[in-house]
């Protein structure tokens, strides 16, 4: 089965190759775009990461395609419904980095709560021991709000409890056995927003979570709270967060993900794409809004690296190779099922 991997650097290709002896694997270092999709023209499988948008247009350009294997847990970068309508399977790596991402969320929380970045700059750049403006606050005794208590969210809850935080949770499917065990509790979203000193987003991107934090509910956030998003950028209406940062509702944000972040990765594609003028203008507005957040002194912005640890990367590559090998031998695993 010819399988073309996109966005795989040579070092990762060297790790994958011996695990893929049963398939004809080819590697392209660049992410998948309409400009290089022809490199997979006769492929039966492609493997991508979240920075490759697998749109209708891309799927239509791959007539032999049977499998899209994403090297991620989230699959909102793939038009799964369209793939399904064409009989193409989609598989994921459902459970890598569940500690990795939770630890990173806390790295952002601590960097914000203790002003680590301005403190570092004070000494490194200003060569000064002046502590003016660097006072932080203790996490101990504060309230952590976790939205989405799946594999990652549960670890965020556990770490928060380890810091001596009260923890309130919100999930479409509450796991009260878990909250009872760790000493947390489920509340509705408005209650969580109004009571948490630190909010962590850990829900997937779905129709329901689109703009979960938005212009209508952002004002419910407890004045001066921190907001951390290591899930997906689209969970936050970017303009609402900019407003909340400006008026001090949100004192600081830690963002590993951004609304429309694939456009940030390749601005040229947006400007030169076949999208009509209004879509291009919406895209550019969002790009500017994302830039506003990235440049804000109240935001710690990172380029979608919450998952990026040695351990998680090894797991991603191992499970991806296994997914493709299993599919090729007629025993698919980790398939995405949609209604
Ligand atoms: P999971 O599927 O184990 O948990 C997600 C939880 O969110 C579930 O309990 C689900 O019921 C809940 N949920 C769904 N809709 C909700 C809603 N409307 N309101 C409240 N809760 C809702 O997923 P996991 O492994 O914990 O990952 C969560 C997300 O983190 C992924 O979908 C992905 O988008 C993101 N992620 C980000 C990474 C990064 O590098 N920044 C790396 C890995 C995952």
């Amino acid at each position: 089965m010819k399988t073309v991997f996109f966005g795989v650097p040579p070092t990762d290709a060297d790790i994958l190759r011996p695990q893929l002896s049963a398939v004809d694997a080819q590697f392209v270092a660049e992410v998948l775009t309409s400009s290089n999709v022809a490199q997979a023209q006769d492929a039966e499988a492609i493997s991508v990461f979240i920075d490759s948008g697998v749109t209708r247009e891309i799927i239509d350009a791959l007539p032999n395609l049977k499998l899209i294997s994403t090297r991620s847990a989230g699959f909102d970068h793939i038009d799964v419904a369209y793939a399904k309508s064409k009989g193409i399977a989609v598989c994921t790596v459902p459970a890598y980095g569940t500690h990795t991402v939770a630890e990173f969320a806390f790295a952002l929380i601590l960097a914000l709560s203790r002003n680590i970045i301005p403190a570092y700059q004070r000494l490194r750049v200003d060569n000064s021991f002046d502590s003016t403006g660097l006072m932080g606050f203790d996490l101990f005794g504060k309230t952590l709000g976790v939205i989405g208590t799946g594999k990652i969210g549960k670890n965020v809850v556990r770490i928060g409890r380890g810091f001596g935080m009260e923890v309130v949770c919100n999930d479409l499917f509450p796991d009260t056995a878990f909250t009872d065990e760790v000493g947390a509790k489920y509340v509705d979203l408005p209650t969580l927003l109004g009571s948490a000193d630190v909010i962590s987003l850990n829900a997937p991107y779905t129709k329901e979570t689109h703009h979960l934090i938005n212009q209508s509910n952002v004002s419910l956030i407890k004045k001066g709270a921190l907001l951390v998003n290591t899930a997906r950028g689209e969970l936050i209406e970017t303009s609402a967060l900019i407003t909340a940062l400006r008026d001090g509702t949100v004192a600081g944000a830690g963002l590993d993900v951004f609304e429309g972040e694939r456009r940030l990765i390749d601005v040229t594609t947006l400007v030169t794409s076949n999208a009509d003028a209004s879509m291009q203008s919406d895209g550019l507005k969002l790009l500017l809004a994302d830039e506003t957040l990235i440049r804000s002194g109240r935001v710690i912005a990172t380029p979608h690296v919450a998952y990026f640890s040695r351990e998680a990367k090894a797991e991603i590559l191992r499970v991806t190779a296994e997914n493709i090998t299993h599919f090729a031998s007629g025993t698919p695993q980790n398939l995405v099922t949609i209604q």
Side-chain angles (χ1 to χ4, degrees), residues 27-329:
F27 300 93
V28 178
E30 292 75 35
V31 302
L32 172 62
T33 65
S34 49
S35 318
N36 65 8
V37 65
Q39 295 193 49
Q41 208 170 14
D42 54 347
E44 288 176 272
I46 55 168
S47 173
V48 296
F49 188 54
I50 50 103
D51 44 11
S52 292
V54 187
T55 57
R56 234 166 221 263
E57 189 193 0
I58 295 277
I59 292 171
D60 283 341
L62 301 170
N64 296 339
L65 198 63
K66 295 194 177 100
L67 174 69
I68 302 166
S69 159
T70 184
R71 303 187 296 279
S72 59
F75 47 86
D76 46 279
H77 53 297
I78 300 168
D79 191 336
V80 178
Y82 190 61
K84 190 181 173 194
S85 77
K86 299 198 77 175
I88 299 165
V90 177
C91 66
T92 66
V93 181
Y96 65 93
T98 58
H99 293 281
T100 316
V101 178
E103 288 178 14
F104 195 86
F106 259 84
L108 293 175
I109 292 168
L110 285 164
L112 288 164
S113 65
R114 298 306 307 273
N115 292 311
I116 302 285
I117 296 203
Y120 166 83
Q121 284 167 339
R122 182 70 52 87
L123 190 54
R124 181 81 187 252
V125 180
D126 304 339
N127 201 20
S128 164
F129 272 85
D130 179 4
S131 60
T132 310
L134 297 181
M135 187 184 284
F137 67 87
D138 294 350
L139 295 182
F140 181 84
K142 298 294 186 308
T143 299
L144 171 67
V146 179
I147 302 176
T149 53
K151 295 177 285 296
I152 295 170
K154 282 193 171 85
N155 286 329
V156 174
V157 172
R158 290 190 183 100
I159 298 174
R161 291 295 292 143
F163 272 92
M165 301 181 83
E166 301 296 321
V167 183
V168 289
C169 306
N170 179 263
D171 198 296
L172 279 186
F173 304 100
D175 180 351
T176 48
F178 165 74
T179 44
D180 289 349
E181 178 199 323
V182 297
K185 64 175 177 187
Y186 282 97
V187 296
D188 60 27
L189 186 60
T191 306
L192 184 148
L193 297 180
S195 57
D197 301 290
V198 179
I199 299 166
S200 175
L201 299 185
N202 298 103
Y205 180 48
T206 62
K207 269 197 229 82
E208 293 73 31
T209 59
H210 179 78
H211 291 177
L212 188 83
I213 308 283
N214 53 53
Q215 290 286 3
S216 316
N217 66 12
V218 75
S219 59
L220 300 178
I221 292 177
K222 183 174 178 179
K223 181 94 177 157
L226 301 179
L227 177 62
V228 168
N229 188 5
T230 55
R232 284 292 181 266
E234 285 74 10
L235 267 61
I236 300 178
E237 186 176 4
T238 305
S239 60
L241 178 56
I242 292 173
T243 311
L245 284 161
R246 282 195 179 139
D247 68 20
T249 305
V250 172
L255 307 173
D256 185 50
V257 287
F258 295 84
E259 196 173 5
E261 72 187 35
R262 272 197 304 280
R263 293 188 184 126
L264 282 173
I265 295 166
D266 191 354
V267 182
T268 326
T269 306
L270 172 69
V271 178
T272 58
S273 72
N274 294 329
D276 63 36
S278 75
M279 272 178 72
Q280 284 192 348
S281 122
D282 286 351
L284 288 171
K285 265 190 213 153
L286 194 52
L287 209 72
L288 280 175
D290 282 342
E291 279 298 319
T292 306
L293 286 179
I294 291 167
R295 310 278 156 227
S296 164
R298 291 171 185 254
V299 173
I300 298 178
T302 51
H304 205 133
V305 291
Y307 76 98
F308 200 47
S309 73
R310 275 196 296 274
E311 293 78 4
K313 191 65 190 281
E315 183 67 0
I316 289 170
L317 297 181
R318 187 187 69 74
V319 176
T320 298
E322 212 180 83
N323 282 349
I324 293 166
T325 307
H326 269 258
F327 186 86
S329 64

Side-chain angles (χ1 to χ4, degrees), residues 12-22 27 321 325:
D12 289 356
D14 289 345
I15 297 170
L16 278 164
R17 229 175 253 115
Q19 301 182 54
L20 287 163
S21 50
F27 300 93
T325 307

